[in-house]
Amino acid sequence: MFSWTNKEQGGRNKDSEMFQTVTEGLLSLYTKKLLPLEETYLFHDFHSPALEAADFQSKPMVLLVGQYSTGKTTFIRYLLEQDFPGMRIGPEPTTDGFIAVMYGENEGVIPGNALVVDPNKPFRKLNAFGNAFLNRLICSQMPNQVLQSISVIDTPGILSGEKQRLSRGYDFSEVLRWFGERVDRIILLFDAHKLDISDEFSEAIRAFRGQDDKIRVVLNKADQVDTQQLMRVYGALMWSLGKVINTPEVVRVYLGSFWAKPLQNSENRRLFEAETQDLFRDIQGLPRNAALRKLNDLIKRARLAKVHAYIISYLKKEMPSLFGKEKKKEELINRLPEIYCILQREHHISPGDFPSVTKMQEQLQNYDFSKFPSLKVKLIESVDKMLANKIAGLMTMISEEESKQPPQMVTGGAFEGSQDGPFGHGYEEGVRAGADGEEWIVSRDKPNYDEIFYTLMPVNGKISGANAKKEMMNSRLPNTVLGKIWKLADCDHDGMLDDEEFALAQHLIKIKLEGFELPSELPDHLIPPSHRKDPTADTMYNHQED
């Protein structure tokens, strides 16, 4: 059991708080410290609905967003390695609603209106978007090993051209913003032949403002173009994204073909495999980082709630008591950018913590400023103490929980065995080459290395470090890399290299020049036969003296 306390004068604990888990601690801090501030200053009307227990207890969620026919539903099918209820795949916009694919003992579909009244699901606040949206929301439940660790949200294909002028009947970008605040990962899917970002897609991406750390981009169906075309496609995609995602950092883009069918162009197979494994590792780590992500989102929410309270209370303070309220209201709305600057200086707030000026001005039109609450310092202080003291305790709990429990990873489906066996990424490549063979892998090229070795004038079968350096420098690798290679190759640590050690050094140089990483310790299968502890290992390599 973990605990931290607030000690009053005299050493007695007035308000002892004891939590069994991080999730329980997050829920308690939110309901006791942050929720009163949000309710007092109408935070839920302006920004985001109140959080519930299911929001803290739910599994990590992955949100897929992209134009129609970019492979969103197929991507989910690829991860799960089985069909899910309500799945439809086709070249046209087949997915016309939101599908929450979640774990369930019994396979089935829960309609939207029934889903938003389930207290065990984190979707109750979606009820505010009305029947037009709820009729296009379902929860697809099925017993699948992948879904025991994560949930996946499939979205309607984003429209382009004339189709985007059609109304969906609900605020699509606001729904995406709601999901974006609650999910752990947002994956934007692009097709190698559909790089244009329509107006609706731009609005969707802007809805994720403030969630940049969650966004990943997948360029799907990359096998349908050759290498030269792929370079142009990648450059065009980065240019398009740069116009919409206004961040100085370059967004991470994963290239690949995410379905279980043969590659149309296999010349980039190795690249696609590496990219797939990178994306898989990113998704697999979501359960391990879920508590930290929820803690991070709670901190962001608390900072926004504080700023909102300062804005509302300032508007209340500036309102006249009797006459000219409407005129003053219009004046304050027009002066909102100036008010932001005043609050920044007065309370030492970063400009990035303030909400959008334009959106705030639109929302304020519907409220009577004279009915806004005044600034309640105790509520602000309570949140400040939570951020300064309580959050640090939760960070400690997260570290302790991680040390006591095995790492949580997404398993099953496409993740099962993706690193093991002869089809795992990197098998028989780099330093792993020859690991399953009986002969010493270096012996294949040793005759060529021996020719170089004997030109370096060995004495008593060994060459000095100075002579070895001259040859190794021909690789043009940095001294730091060559130093590591020397350390790995000098098996007996005598400062000299025999013919086997020299051949090993040349082999490691070759590995590095081919773009692979060097090991921190020399693997057993690369140790020269004459330097192995087991004398019977010499039979694996017949060394012939010149």
Side-chain angles (χ1 to χ4, degrees):
M1 179 181 292
F2 309 103
S3 65
W4 65 88
T5 57
N6 287 331
K7 295 187 176 181
E8 298 295 315
Q9 291 182 354
R12 182 168 181 80
N13 298 330
K14 177 185 176 184
D15 185 23
S16 178
E17 295 174 308
M18 307 182 71
F19 307 134
Q20 295 286 352
T21 64
V22 174
T23 300
E24 182 184 328
L26 287 169
L27 179 60
S28 177
L29 288 182
Y30 175 72
T31 54
K32 293 179 181 178
K33 306 293 182 183
L34 185 54
L35 185 59
L37 180 70
E38 293 182 353
E39 291 176 337
T40 301
Y41 293 99
L42 310 176
F43 180 86
H44 306 142
D45 295 336
F46 282 85
H47 300 289
S48 178
L51 300 178
E52 296 184 336
D55 292 308
F56 295 97
Q57 298 164 357
S58 62
K59 297 183 180 70
M61 292 190 289
V62 178
L63 179 69
L64 299 179
V65 181
Q67 297 190 61
Y68 67 91
S69 192
T70 53
K72 297 186 300 297
T73 307
T74 304
F75 182 84
I76 300 175
R77 170 70 177 78
Y78 176 72
L79 294 182
L80 304 182
E81 290 190 343
Q82 70 178 100
D83 296 343
F84 56 89
M87 182 185 81
R88 289 176 59 205
I89 297 176
E92 73 282 3
T94 50
T95 304
D96 61 349
F98 287 77
I99 304 177
V101 187
M102 309 181 75
Y103 180 83
E105 293 295 335
N106 300 315
E107 188 173 308
V109 172
I110 302 176
N113 283 285
L115 180 64
V116 295
V117 297
D118 187 348
N120 298 319
K121 297 285 193 302
F123 305 119
R124 283 164 57 96
K125 297 300 181 179
L126 286 172
N127 185 57
F129 292 103
N131 277 329
F133 167 71
L134 296 180
N135 290 335
R136 290 174 173 82
L137 170 68
I138 63 172
C139 176
S140 177
Q141 288 187 319
M142 59 187 298
N144 184 280
Q145 190 175 352
V146 174
L147 298 177
Q148 288 181 331
S149 304
I150 60 172
S151 300
V152 188
I153 312 297
D154 194 8
T155 60
I158 291 179
L159 304 177
S160 60
E162 289 297 323
K163 293 180 181 178
Q164 64 185 321
R165 305 182 192 280
L166 302 175
S167 173
R168 294 181 183 269
Y170 59 91
D171 195 332
F172 181 64
S173 59
E174 278 300 305
V175 173
L176 289 180
R177 189 173 74 86
W178 187 95
F179 276 108
E181 292 174 351
R182 287 158 177 80
V183 300
D184 296 72
R185 189 64 75 235
I186 301 169
I187 297 181
L188 305 179
L189 273 92
F190 289 86
D191 187 329
H193 295 100
K194 288 184 180 178
L195 299 179
D196 60 309
I197 299 180
S198 63
D199 293 343
E200 189 177 47
F201 204 173
S202 297
E203 291 178 12
I205 295 176
R206 292 191 185 99
F208 300 133
R209 179 177 178 266
Q211 314 296 335
D212 303 319
D213 57 318
K214 300 179 181 179
I215 295 178
R216 302 292 184 272
V217 177
V218 170
L219 178 57
N220 199 13
K221 305 180 184 180
D223 64 319
Q224 296 182 2
V225 294
D226 59 30
T227 304
Q228 185 180 20
Q229 292 173 327
L230 182 59
M231 292 174 61
R232 293 173 178 169
V233 166
Y234 181 81
L237 176 59
M238 297 302 292
W239 181 81
S240 299
L241 288 172
K243 297 174 64 177
V244 181
I245 303 178
N246 297 318
T247 57
E249 301 85 5
V250 177
V251 66
R252 177 66 164 96
V253 178
Y254 298 89
L255 310 175
S257 181
F258 297 93
W259 63 351
K261 291 189 177 182
L263 298 176
Q264 294 188 19
N265 284 307
S266 59
E267 56 193 53
N268 293 314
R269 182 187 188 102
R270 182 175 159 189
L271 170 65
F272 296 156
E273 289 174 352
E275 293 285 282
T276 300
Q277 292 305 319
D278 285 350
L279 180 59
F280 279 6
R281 278 192 292 269
D282 186 68
I283 297 175
Q284 281 183 300
L286 292 180
R288 183 176 64 251
N289 302 320
L292 199 57
R293 194 275 304 169
K294 290 173 182 175
L295 178 62
N296 184 58
D297 285 353
L298 183 66
I299 295 172
K300 287 197 294 186
R301 188 181 180 98
R303 293 167 68 94
L304 180 59
K306 273 183 57 182
V307 171
H308 180 75
Y310 285 131
I311 295 172
I312 296 300
S313 59
Y314 184 90
L315 296 175
K316 165 69 175 179
K317 183 181 69 173
E318 293 294 310
M319 287 297 289
S321 56
L322 293 176
F323 305 107
K325 291 184 178 181
E326 283 300 318
K327 184 178 180 180
K328 187 65 175 178
K329 173 183 172 180
E330 289 299 321
E331 178 191 335
L332 290 172
I333 290 177
N334 293 330
R335 287 183 53 228
L336 194 60
E338 179 187 341
I339 293 172
Y340 277 16
C341 295
I342 294 172
L343 295 175
Q344 287 175 33
R345 293 191 299 268
E346 184 177 341
H347 301 285
H348 309 289
I349 303 171
S350 170
D353 289 345
F354 283 81
S356 168
V357 174
T358 305
K359 185 176 179 182
M360 196 71 178
Q361 287 173 327
E362 293 175 359
Q363 292 174 312
L364 287 171
Q365 297 284 355
N366 305 318
Y367 290 88
D368 183 355
F369 292 5
S370 61
K371 294 182 179 179
F372 282 165
S374 302
L375 184 64
K376 293 179 171 54
V377 179
K378 286 188 176 180
L379 290 177
I380 299 290
E381 289 179 346
S382 178
V383 173
D384 284 336
K385 289 179 180 178
M386 178 191 79
L387 293 173
N389 304 320
K390 307 295 185 181
I391 296 299
L394 282 179
M395 291 290 291
T396 303
M397 288 180 63
I398 291 175
S399 301
E400 293 180 359
E401 283 190 358
E402 288 179 349
S403 63
K404 293 183 178 181
Q405 298 176 357
Q408 294 178 297
M409 298 284 284
V410 180
T411 57
F415 302 99
E416 194 67 34
S418 59
Q419 293 285 353
D420 304 324
F423 295 100
H425 176 64
Y427 181 80
E428 280 294 320
E429 293 181 346
V431 295
R432 298 172 63 181
D436 295 339
E438 294 186 358
E439 70 168 349
W440 188 39
I441 185 67
V442 184
S443 65
R444 299 176 184 177
D445 297 318
K446 190 169 183 299
N448 298 329
Y449 300 147
D450 284 346
E451 291 181 10
I452 302 173
F453 177 79
Y454 288 110
T455 63
L456 299 176
M457 307 301 291
V459 178
N460 296 326
K462 293 190 175 185
I463 60 174
S464 65
N467 287 342
K469 178 181 178 180
K470 294 177 183 178
E471 177 59 33
M472 293 172 68
M473 290 285 286
N474 291 333
S475 66
R476 299 184 180 181
L477 289 172
N479 285 349
T480 53
V481 176
L482 294 176
K484 185 174 183 179
I485 291 174
W486 173 271
K487 185 178 179 180
L488 292 170
D490 187 12
C491 299
D492 52 11
H493 309 293
D494 62 352
M496 305 180 76
L497 299 181
D498 61 22
D499 60 333
E500 289 183 348
E501 291 174 323
F502 178 78
L504 174 60
Q506 294 295 103
H507 181 72
L508 293 174
I509 288 175
K510 178 183 175 183
I511 288 174
K512 187 62 180 176
L513 291 176
E514 290 176 348
F516 299 100
E517 293 300 322
L518 296 173
S520 56
E521 295 183 3
L522 193 65
D524 292 341
H525 70 279
L526 287 182
I527 298 176
S530 62
H531 293 271
R532 295 176 182 173
K533 295 179 180 180
D534 184 4
T536 61
D538 287 346
T539 59
M540 296 170 57
Y541 168 67
N542 297 321
H543 176 58
Q544 297 180 354
E545 293 291 335
D546 187 354

